[in-house]
Amino acid sequence: MRKSGMLLPIASLPSKYGIGSFSKEAYDFVDMLKDAGQSLWQILPLGPTGYGDSPYQSFSTFAGNPYFIDLDELVKEGLLSEEECNSYNWGDNNEYVDYEKVYLSRFKILNRAYKQSEIKEDRRFNAYCDKNRWWLDDYALYMAIKDYFDGNSWIEWDNDIKLREEDAMCKYKEKLCDEVIFYKYLQYLFSNQWNRLKSYANRNGISIVGDIPIYVSMDSADTWSNPALFQLDRNCNPISVAGCPPDSFSKTGQLWGNPLYYWNYHRDTDYEWWIKRIEYSFKLYDTVRIDHFRGFDEYYSIPFGDLTAENGTWEKGPGIELFRYINKKLGNVNIIAEDLGFLTESVKQLLDDTGYPGMKILQFAFDSREESDYLPHNYNRNCVVYTGTHDNSTVCGWYRDLNKNDKNMSISYMNNKYTKNNAIHWDFICLGMRSISDTCIIPVQDYLGLGDEARINIPSTLGNNWTWRMNKNSFSKKVVKKIYMLTKIYGRM
């Protein structure tokens, strides 16, 4: 069935308190999607963010980001007052996330709500904690200890707790008991509010497309509590880390620094951790996009301690075996494979064997020097077409910087010599919408015709990423009506 939707991170929603959340504005966005004839809302990973504010470097693959908790809901519940919420500095730019201000304010105000909640006696809270004990206990303890050690990652903690010695675990559980419950409370709030928002979206015909990174962060409860899953030495220090090799975009490659999986252990345990991860993801989302899918075929291994990715080597991943185990345990699940970049024949074969749709990016299509798999006439139905992703420029920003030959090629391909540059985004949107792809997802910035001031992320850079927020009144009735009309014309209702 042909369908379409929009890509917008939760953090990029408008809100009163510095960053997008599960507030009224999120429900308004769902209403707009429905009015525009859309059926999908794609978001970025929901996990708590760490250094660099990237949702792809989270303190937990299972936990949710406390930044997204709606403070107005806590006001309605009598746990906070509007005056308290407004007394903090959330920043003065409605189109920018000031993470320093959010960090310094959000946990303080949430701690006020916690102290007012008497949550320890709440039956539903205790039931939630019991149900999620298998990941929540380690996560909450990890965050409490992390705070105790001034925010440092577990690899810098005292050796006894770094290596989870029994006496040390007991000591910190007792010493930080209240802090642990606070972090569990935040997850309880997150879960309740996200489930309500997702249910509202589903009732209105909107499915949620979630996103999970292939790797977890070194600074995470996952790595600290399950070191056997990763390529770590006996002192739990990394042996090799993840990244990408040098290419035309990066002369020294990309050094991500994530711990690599010890795939032999995963095989020996019938991929139990991965099955739990995927199963849990489908409690949060209707469809799951897996980032860096090619890493399941071959992954790039960089010696720990290297300052660049130049000395890495390609190593064999689990291949189709992992997905056979997933299918055996969970049945056929709705997964989108992020298969961008240089693809070997073995990666293409893995994608074919899974049957998952891959991704097509229109910004990658127009290279006048060669034929591209990203040109729409080369698509098959089983793919998802985008104008761009969170890692790309906006269409308007990209097109402005496109060289003359590639720009002429795009004009010839679309048979359109008359569109002015400030409206070129509609041509590319229509190109994706009318393609044969079963699914078309357009970043919100492209529907709004925004330039690079609205770019989400520039890969391999730190600073000023993940900060863009949508203005509250961005989608006029005229624009929504136009999106609805195009969706209907191209058979994606």
Side-chain angles (χ1 to χ4, degrees), residues 40-45 61 198 207-214 274 276-291 293 296 323 326 330 333-338 356-359 384 386 441:
L40 301 169
W41 177 8
Q42 181 171 329
I43 59 176
L44 298 186
T61 194
K198 181 179 180 296
S207 296
I208 303 295
V209 181
D211 193 330
I212 62 171
I214 184 174
W274 266 100
K276 283 183 176 179
R277 187 184 187 195
I278 297 297
E279 183 178 32
Y280 189 80
S281 295
F282 279 100
K283 294 178 181 177
L284 297 174
Y285 318 116
D286 300 299
T287 299
V288 174
R289 171 193 179 271
I290 302 181
D291 193 54
F293 188 80
F296 294 112
F323 300 100
I326 290 172
L330 305 179
V333 288
N334 295 322
I335 286 176
I336 296 171
E338 188 273 284
Y356 301 150
M359 294 173 57
V384 185
Y386 299 77
I441 297 177

Side-chain angles (χ1 to χ4, degrees), residues 87-209:
S87 68
Y88 289 91
N89 184 358
W90 305 104
D92 55 6
N93 186 342
N94 290 331
E95 296 181 9
Y96 176 81
V97 180
D98 188 326
Y99 281 99
E100 182 180 13
K101 288 184 171 62
V102 171
Y103 173 76
L104 291 173
S105 301
R106 179 66 60 149
F107 288 98
K108 291 178 182 176
I109 193 74
L110 289 171
N111 199 265
R112 285 195 184 195
Y114 167 64
K115 289 176 179 176
Q116 296 288 335
S117 68
E118 299 181 355
I119 198 65
K120 297 174 187 177
E121 311 303 322
D122 189 290
R123 176 178 53 82
R124 288 169 297 181
F125 169 70
N126 288 309
Y128 168 82
C129 292
D130 287 341
K131 183 179 180 181
N132 293 279
R133 186 181 303 279
W134 57 276
W135 67 267
L136 183 60
D137 283 4
D138 279 320
Y139 166 73
L141 181 60
Y142 183 79
M143 296 305 296
I145 300 173
K146 185 176 172 64
D147 288 347
Y148 180 81
F149 283 105
D150 298 321
N152 287 322
S153 171
W154 66 280
I155 58 174
E156 299 177 53
W157 296 352
D158 293 344
N159 218 45
D160 58 351
I161 190 61
K162 171 186 174 181
L163 300 178
R164 296 171 62 90
E165 294 177 6
E166 186 175 349
D167 288 347
M169 292 287 285
C170 291
K171 181 182 83 171
Y172 284 101
K173 284 178 182 178
E174 183 177 350
K175 186 183 187 73
L176 303 174
C177 178
D178 194 59
E179 291 84 350
V180 168
I181 297 173
F182 169 63
Y183 277 105
K184 289 183 179 181
Y185 174 64
L186 297 186
Q187 292 308 303
Y188 175 66
L189 293 179
F190 176 95
S191 177
N192 287 344
Q193 291 191 7
W194 171 246
N195 287 336
R196 280 198 294 271
L197 176 58
K198 181 179 180 296
S199 294
Y200 181 81
N202 290 166
R203 288 198 306 272
N204 283 278
I206 308 298
S207 296
I208 303 295
V209 181

Side-chain angles (χ1 to χ4, degrees), residues 30 60 106 176 214 223 262 306 347 370:
V30 170
S60 169
R106 179 66 60 149
L176 303 174
I214 184 174
T223 316
Y262 181 45
D306 278 16
V347 177
E370 59 186 7

Side-chain angles (χ1 to χ4, degrees), residues 346-413:
S346 58
V347 177
K348 294 177 183 177
Q349 186 61 54
L350 176 60
L351 189 62
D352 286 344
D353 290 344
T354 62
Y356 301 150
M359 294 173 57
K360 302 295 183 185
I361 310 300
L362 288 175
Q363 289 186 33
F364 295 168
F366 298 99
D367 186 338
S368 56
R369 299 167 299 178
E370 59 186 7
E371 176 77 358
S372 171
D373 289 341
Y374 296 104
L375 286 167
H377 68 264
N378 289 322
Y379 297 174
N380 58 39
R381 292 186 183 279
N382 189 35
C383 67
V384 185
V385 61
Y386 299 77
T387 46
T389 74
H390 62 277
D391 283 335
N392 296 114
S393 302
T394 65
V395 158
C396 289
W398 162 77
Y399 192 76
R400 181 197 63 206
D401 297 332
L402 201 60
N403 69 56
K404 183 177 179 180
N405 289 338
D406 293 351
K407 192 173 289 188
N408 287 338
M409 178 192 172
S410 73
I411 291 170
S412 298
Y413 191 87

